[in-house]
Structures are given as structure tokens and as C-alpha cells.
Amino acid sequence: MIPKQALKHLTTAVVLAAMFGSPSTMAAEEKETAEESTPFDAPAIEMPAPAPAVLGFVDARRSQSLNGKWNFIVDPMGVGQPGGFFGGWATDRVPVDEWQVLEYNYAGSRKISVPGDFNTQFEDLLFYRDGVWYQRWFDVEPKPGKRYHLWFGGSNYTTSVYLNGTPMAKQVGGYVPYSIDVTDALKSGGNDLVISVNNRLEKHSVPTPRTDWWPYGGLIRDVMLIETPSAHLVNAKVELADLSGRVEGVVATQGLRAGDTVTVSIAELDFSTEVTVGSDGQGQWTAMLKPELWSPENPKLYDVEFATADEQLSDRIGFRLIEARGTEIFLNGKRIRFKGISTHEEPIGRDGAAYSKADFEALFGEAKALGANFVRAAHYPYARHAAQVADELGLMLWEEVPIYWNIAWENPETLEIAKDQITRLVTRDWNRASVVIWSVANETPYSEPRMAFLEALINEVRSLDDTRLVSAALLGDVSRELKDAALYLAAYGAASDEVSKHERDIFKAMLDKAGDHAPAVGSGFELVIDDPLGELLDVVSYNEYFGWYYARFIAPQLGVSEKTVRKLMFKFMEHVVLSAAFDKPMHISEFGAGAKSGKRGEGPWTEEYQAEVYRAQSRMIMNSPQIQGMTPWILKDFRAMLRTLPGIQDYRNRKGLIDENGQRKQAFYVLRDFYEGSWANVE
Ligand code: GCB
């Protein structure tokens, strides 16, 4: 029997279908709904998006942490939806006596820690990608004249928030901060907060379901209730405009009237200015401050204060200038190289998503120990602590959104999600001196719709922040490149006495066929990245896997063993020159090889082989003058459900220079030597 409460919300067509089957006269669209619905479904609830503007300076605001233990229900069938047959609002959830049947109840549920992904808090959820519910109570005494904002550092992937039975907002897209003004729904005393999070990804989401990392689900980051005066500062941007020492700023406020002021001061520079806001709540300022500049060698930060009539906020902000001129990169007017390493947002020694300052201090501390001055924070926005720690440690940072491989380029909703993610990332971190690159994509194959999508995104980024470099990790035209490379390898093979006679004959036949085009041993092989997206970028970045995947692709094409190709490739790499068809700096955003920590020997998966790939790559990069930076793949082994190989991968990508527990592999030291040696200084 269909409960009355559910009936109320179901469309006539759905109810008829559920009770009597689908009448054949039903319109096609209704029929589809009827087939997918059951009488137990809850009504769809329309919810607005969270506040469009990111609330800045959250660590300096009055707040109540909502971190801690929450009630938690795993709901693969989607029955927890309020208003549905099984669900219900928190107030219904305590049975009046033992005669009342409740099939959905938070009392007695598992407890989960927030922040923290759910996949790694419970063994049975490691591979889970679907809906869960969080619930907790919190006490508050709302004060008149104040506004209250529920703030989330980031949750994965679709999050719907209900407060005291009222649907508040729905955020689509993971990894970025958002807030919801809940002032009108708050009660004095106990408040019931219910949140549904679903980490299922779809074709049109950002990213799509297939990724080479595990998109940990849940309330992965801090949750707070933030109190602001009703007239308050929303966000502000402070930046060094040029090397003369001119600093510019923008303030964005809410509730202030045109003519009201925000005082911006930096005591250490003996500076204070009154910024008058206009009718749009925004104001701008500029001043000649000549601050001491931030750099990896001198990560100088200043306390900057923002005060309105009702509040006083502060942040630690550094000043620096990053520029690309021709094929070179300059920090504070001096040529530099990015001595980098790629990372995922995973802590050392614990599975799951990193979320605390200590997590990032440990992770980025290993990057420092490697001699790095740069980190590529792949492939999505990390918790806010990442850039704060990079600011303090003196690490330049590449930040990225999860536009990964192919996404639904032609879907307007997908573009909206991507824009929302990059806007929230940029406006959260635009005061972090460490951030020098915004990256809009990773390995996206060429197509016209991809070009239009990424152009829109790049324009969005530049309009928000034109003081940083824009890049994307490009894929190149791998099949073309490998075909060309195979012929060069054949030249090495034909001259080698380490290959079998049969293989030598294959190489010779290839060279004969190429005739005059046959390359000689030792002749340079130039690989030019000409993806038209390069035209729109400041830095042309390229992911390449010479010494790892490329050998695997080439061997079967030639009909020779992978061992032969791998050995020849190390020699051949010395003569490869990488470049880009644009007068711009080039960055090697990835190279790498898999190694199981402690596995010794000489073939793939051994530490020795990985170290050899790093040596060969270093030589290749030294040969390629357009390359100004590199971020090999990757600092630490990480969870990747694409990586199933038993005994070696066990659902981890093994290209780390350290394993998941922090144990360093041989290649760590090879890269450290390179960063301290040949790559240390710009000649
Ligand atoms: C790539 C991807 C990265 C993968 C890596 C790998 O090109 O950008 O996400 O994890 O290769 O290990 O294959």
C-alpha cells in the first residue's frame, strides 16, 4: 500500500503507473519517469545553489567548528531522502515507544569523523561510490544583527544540506569551498543538521567516473558555522602589481552601503588606507608599498588586516611577481626554473584525503627534502591548508581543476560546474603568494568542443586573476610521436649487439623501408608539442612517459620484445629534444615509472628501473632548452582503483618516489641530486 505522505508528492502519472501499470496512452516522457520511479521514492526537492561568492578569511572569523563525530548512514538505495517512505526529518526520528516502527533512524547509526572521507574510515566502503547521509545536532544562540553561514571546505561530489527540516542548498562539484546563509533557518538551542553526500560521478560530471585516482567521498574537509555581522566583508584580494613595489587590492562586501569604508592595514609596512565601497559593495585601492618580496628562499609573509565598522579580519599575505617572457619564466624579475614534483591530496602514512595543516606540512615537507621549489597539486583543488603551507614553506604551487581526459565538452551543465570549481578555487587562493599557476585541464584530447570549453574557462580565470600564469597539462599527439620515435629506436637497434639477430633484422628492414628518411644513431629526435590550446596558455605543459608507457606501446608495433625497446629507449632518450611550437616556456608536467617499494632488480616495477627512467629523463630535459620546469609523477604512491595488478599495485599507482608510508625509493635521490646539481641554476 502506498503511504499517503508519499502519494501527496507523486505525480498522477507515477501513482497510476505504480498502482495499475503504465497505460499505453501515457506520454513518452511520463512513461520514462513511471518506469524509473517507485511508490517509495521521495519527491524531488528543488534546492538553490550555495552562495555564489566564496567567503574569504574563514580562519580569522568567529566560528563554531562542526568537525567531530557525526551520525552516518550508508544509503545505496536512496531511501534517506526526507519526505520519502523510509526517510523523514530528524524530529520524527526518535520512536515514541517500542511499538513505533522506524526503518530509518540515525539513533544507533555508525559514527563517522568529519573531516575525512568515508571510503577509508570503514573497510566495507573502500570502493563505495554512492549516497550516504550525515546527521548531527549543534547548539547555537543566534544573536540579533548577525548572519550565520554554514561553511564547507569541500565535499565530494553532490551535497544537499537540510537544516531543521528545511532544504537549504545543493552543491554540485567536489573539492571547493562553499557556504550557505542559514540565518533564517537557525533555532535558538539545538539544531538538526542533515546532509546527503553522493560521490557517484557521471558522464557529465567534472571529473567523469574514470580517473587514475580515487575521488574520496563525503565531508572530506572542515565544516564550520561562521558568524558575521550582517554588514560584512565577503572577500578581498591583495596583489603586487609590478616590481616598483606597487600593491593593488579589491574588497567585496555585503550589507555595507555605498560610501561605507573598509580599512586595510599592514602594520609592518606602516600602511593603512580607507577603501570606500560603491553601490555594488566593492572597492579598490592601490599604494606604493615596496614590500620585501616572497620567494622560495625567503617566504616572507605580512599580516594584512581588514576592518569594517563591525569586524576585524586578518590574513598572512606574501607579495611576488611571476611572469613568462618569451620562453623563460621570471620570479620577482629573476629567471627561475620550476624544480617540481606532482602530488595527490593524500597524507603520508594514512589512506584517504588529506585535510589538516599537519597533513600538508608532512607531504610538502617531503617535497622540500627533495630539493623542490614547486609542487603541482594535481588534479583537483586541495584543502585550503595546502596553499597556506606552501606559502610558509616557500614552495611555488600549481593548482588545478579536475578537467581530466575527456569530459562532456558540449554539455552546458558541465561547463557551469567547471566554472564554479575554478572560480571558487581562484577566489579562495588569490592571496596565496605560493600559487603561480592555474591549470585548467589534464590530458584532454583535441576537438573543437574541447577548445571552446577550455577557452571559456581560461577567459574566466584571467578575468578573476591576471597575476598568475595559466597552463594545462597537454597530451601531445602520442600515436604520431611514437611512430616517429619507433624509427629512431630502430636505428639504435640495428647498430646494437645486445639485441637478437631476429630483432636486428626487423630494425634493418624498417630502416631500409624508410630509405633516405632513415635516421642515424645519435641524430637528434625533436618532438614538438603543437596542440592549438598552447596558443591560449602562458606555459605549455606536457605529460610524457618515455621509458615507461611508450616502450610498451612501441614494442608490439615493431614485433620486438619490450625488454629490447626499454633498453634502447634509455639510450635514445639522450638525443630527444622536447619543444613546443609556441614562443612560450615549456613545462614537463609529468613523467615517471612504477616501482614497488623494496623491489630490487633491473626490470619494470623495481626501484632500479624507476631510478634509471629518472636518470634518462634528466638527460633528455637538459637537452631541451625550452623546458623551464618539471613536476615528475609523483611524490607518493596513491590510491587508484585503475591499478589492479595483484602483489604490485593492489589498487595503488606505484609511480611514487616514496611509498604510502613515506619510505623513499631510489629515484627520490636521483631527482634530488638533479635538483641540487645540473638543474639547480639557470645558466
Ligand atoms: C597521466 C595522468 C595521471 C596518471 C598518470 C599515470 O598521464 O595525468 O593522472 O596517474 O598518467 O600514472 O599513468
Side-chain angles (χ1 to χ4, degrees):
M1 133 119 188
I2 305 170
K4 244 198 181 151
Q5 183 199 15
L7 273 178
K8 200 170 68 196
H9 301 291
L10 296 170
T11 64
T12 315
V14 175
V15 174
L16 286 174
M19 293 168 87
F20 307 114
S22 311
S24 53
T25 50
M26 203 178 278
E29 200 183 316
E30 286 176 333
K31 195 169 170 185
E32 204 178 297
T33 326
E35 278 163 8
E36 284 174 4
S37 302
T38 74
F40 303 107
D41 289 344
I45 296 173
E46 289 292 315
M47 285 203 217
V54 160
L55 205 53
F57 317 108
V58 291
D59 294 303
R61 296 183 187 264
R62 281 182 70 90
S63 65
Q64 175 178 340
S65 170
L66 298 178
N67 291 347
K69 292 286 182 198
W70 290 53
N71 293 319
F72 180 68
I73 290 180
V74 181
D75 182 17
M77 294 288 172
V79 299
Q81 195 70 16
F85 178 66
F86 294 98
W89 303 100
T91 41
D92 292 334
R93 261 179 233 122
V94 182
V96 284
D97 55 31
E98 63 276 19
W99 287 86
Q100 186 185 359
V101 173
L102 275 189
E103 287 201 65
Y104 191 89
N105 192 356
Y106 287 107
S109 74
R110 315 189 200 197
K111 306 284 177 263
I112 189 167
S113 289
V114 174
D117 63 276
F118 58 66
N119 296 109
T120 56
Q121 292 195 52
F122 305 101
E123 255 177 44
D124 59 322
L125 296 186
L126 185 59
F127 290 86
Y128 187 71
R129 307 181 89 172
D130 217 311
V132 301
W133 291 85
Y134 289 74
Q135 189 272 341
R136 68 165 284 162
W137 294 88
F138 64 90
D139 286 335
V140 64
E141 288 307 326
K143 298 185 203 114
K146 303 287 183 196
R147 306 247 23 124
Y148 294 85
H149 314 258
L150 265 179
W151 178 88
F152 297 82
S155 53
N156 238 350
Y157 172 83
T158 305
T159 309
S160 304
V161 178
Y162 306 83
L163 183 62
N164 297 322
T166 307
M168 302 303 304
K170 176 171 166 186
Q171 165 70 14
V172 181
Y175 304 112
V176 286
Y178 56 95
S179 62
I180 306 164
D181 186 331
V182 294
T183 315
D184 299 336
L186 270 188
K187 284 185 193 161
S188 181
N191 285 265
D192 173 26
L193 181 56
V194 174
I195 298 177
S196 106
V197 190
N198 196 314
N199 67 334
R200 196 173 47 226
L201 297 168
E202 320 274 355
K203 269 199 195 131
H204 64 274
S205 52
V206 187
T208 60
R210 181 172 294 178
T211 55
D212 191 24
W213 78 90
W214 189 236
Y216 292 115
L219 299 179
I220 57 174
R221 301 192 184 144
D222 293 334
V223 181
M224 295 187 233
L225 182 71
I226 293 178
E227 179 190 293
T228 65
S230 30
H232 60 272
L233 185 76
V234 177
N235 203 350
K237 182 183 182 190
V238 182
E239 67 201 24
L240 183 74
D242 57 43
L243 283 179
S244 71
R246 199 159 52 86
V247 173
E248 292 176 350
V250 181
V251 297
T253 64
Q254 197 176 316
L256 270 72
R257 281 182 306 233
D260 287 350
T261 57
V262 178
T263 308
V264 181
S265 29
I266 308 174
E268 204 180 330
L269 292 173
D270 225 358
F271 167 74
S272 184
T273 186
E274 303 263 298
V275 189
T276 307
V277 304
S279 52
D280 59 356
Q282 300 196 10
Q284 296 182 359
W285 60 276
T286 174
M288 188 57 82
L289 294 185
K290 297 192 193 306
E292 191 180 325
L293 299 185
W294 181 98
S295 69
E297 299 75 39
N298 178 33
K300 171 73 188 158
L301 301 174
Y302 289 90
D303 280 319
V304 182
E305 289 207 341
F306 305 88
T308 64
D310 302 321
E311 68 184 334
Q312 201 170 356
L313 301 172
S314 69
D315 198 3
R316 306 262 303 146
I317 296 179
F319 301 94
R320 54 99 197 91
L321 200 75
I322 188 81
E323 295 164 285
R325 288 188 227 143
T327 59
E328 297 171 348
I329 295 175
F330 296 81
L331 179 71
N332 301 332
K334 280 199 226 100
R335 250 199 89 188
I336 48 150
R337 275 179 175 153
F338 296 147
K339 296 183 267 184
I341 188 70
S342 295
T343 58
H344 264 294
E345 190 187 38
E346 286 192 1
I348 296 174
R350 191 186 83 231
D351 258 7
Y355 51 74
S356 70
K357 199 164 179 211
D359 284 343
F360 291 101
E361 281 166 351
L363 188 68
F364 290 176
E366 269 305 279
K368 286 292 275 190
L370 187 64
N373 63 8
F374 186 100
V375 165
R376 175 186 177 200
H379 283 302
Y380 41 78
Y382 293 6
R384 70 192 188 288
H385 311 292
Q388 290 167 352
V389 168
D391 264 14
E392 288 167 12
L393 293 182
L395 280 169
M396 290 177 279
L397 208 55
W398 155 313
E399 296 202 319
E400 184 168 335
V401 284
I403 298 177
Y404 185 84
W405 296 345
N406 253 327
I407 65 166
W409 305 114
E410 291 177 88
N411 186 326
E413 196 194 326
T414 304
L415 181 59
E416 280 319 301
I417 296 169
K419 278 188 177 171
D420 183 68
Q421 282 181 324
I422 205 141
T423 303
R424 290 181 185 278
L425 171 64
V426 170
T427 55
R428 184 195 67 184
D429 281 353
W430 56 14
N431 292 325
R432 302 283 73 87
S434 52
V435 180
V436 293
I437 290 197
W438 302 123
S439 174
V440 294
N442 180 76
E443 294 186 349
T444 50
Y446 176 83
S447 71
E448 281 302 323
R450 170 265 206 172
M451 290 298 291
F453 185 109
L454 291 180
E455 183 167 5
L457 215 63
I458 291 168
N459 291 341
E460 186 84 10
V461 175
R462 293 197 194 279
S463 73
L464 291 166
D465 175 40
D466 60 359
T467 69
R468 286 165 175 95
L469 307 173
V470 174
S471 194
L474 305 177
L475 188 55
D477 184 350
V478 183
S479 58
R480 185 195 70 199
E481 288 149 13
L482 294 187
K483 219 163 146 228
D484 295 348
L487 199 58
Y488 278 75
L489 275 179
Y492 287 82
S496 166
D497 47 18
E498 285 173 40
V499 306
S500 70
K501 176 168 177 324
H502 171 68
E503 290 181 330
R504 202 171 313 117
D505 289 347
I506 293 179
F507 292 133
K508 281 186 176 153
M510 279 177 72
L511 295 174
D512 285 349
K513 200 167 159 218
D516 291 347
H517 299 293
V521 170
S523 59
F525 171 76
E526 200 173 346
L527 194 158
V528 184
I529 302 305
D530 56 4
D531 182 332
L533 192 68
E535 197 62 64
L536 307 178
L537 306 173
D538 299 315
V539 175
V540 179
S541 300
Y542 176 48
N543 291 354
E544 50 90 359
Y545 279 91
F546 279 99
W548 188 246
Y549 296 121
Y550 290 3
R552 198 178 90 199
F553 298 150
I554 290 177
Q557 272 179 36
L558 302 187
V560 299
S561 75
E562 210 172 299
K563 178 176 179 186
T564 294
V565 173
R566 288 189 184 281
K567 292 202 158 180
L568 292 174
M569 189 169 280
F570 286 140
K571 295 191 181 137
F572 158 71
M573 281 165 72
E574 281 187 40
H575 304 284
V576 174
V577 178
L578 302 172
S579 67
F582 309 93
D583 183 30
K584 299 185 179 188
M586 207 181 156
H587 179 91
I588 298 300
S589 30
E590 285 180 32
F591 72 76
K596 172 94 193 245
S597 182
K599 186 168 163 60
R600 313 305 299 267
E602 54 163 7
W605 306 118
T606 64
E607 289 198 28
E608 282 80 0
Y609 186 86
Q610 186 190 37
E612 196 48 42
V613 169
Y614 271 71
R615 280 188 209 100
Q617 284 279 354
S618 314
R619 291 192 287 266
M620 184 168 85
I621 285 168
M622 286 309 289
N623 275 346
S624 309
Q626 202 172 344
I627 297 176
Q628 307 298 316
M630 56 193 265
T631 43
W633 194 255
I634 185 172
L635 183 59
K636 190 185 79 80
D637 290 352
F638 61 96
R639 271 274 171 229
M641 304 319 186
L642 273 182
R643 308 292 173 173
T644 61
L645 188 66
I648 299 276
Q649 294 176 318
D650 300 315
Y651 303 100
R652 282 183 214 278
N653 183 311
R654 294 291 181 196
K655 296 193 187 69
L657 294 179
I658 59 179
D659 70 12
E660 63 271 34
N661 299 314
Q663 184 65 37
R664 293 175 184 171
K665 305 179 195 173
Q666 289 181 16
F668 181 97
Y669 299 101
V670 174
L671 186 60
R672 192 181 69 179
D673 288 349
F674 184 57
Y675 284 163
E676 286 173 357
S678 333
W679 192 252
N681 300 306
V682 187
E683 69 286 347

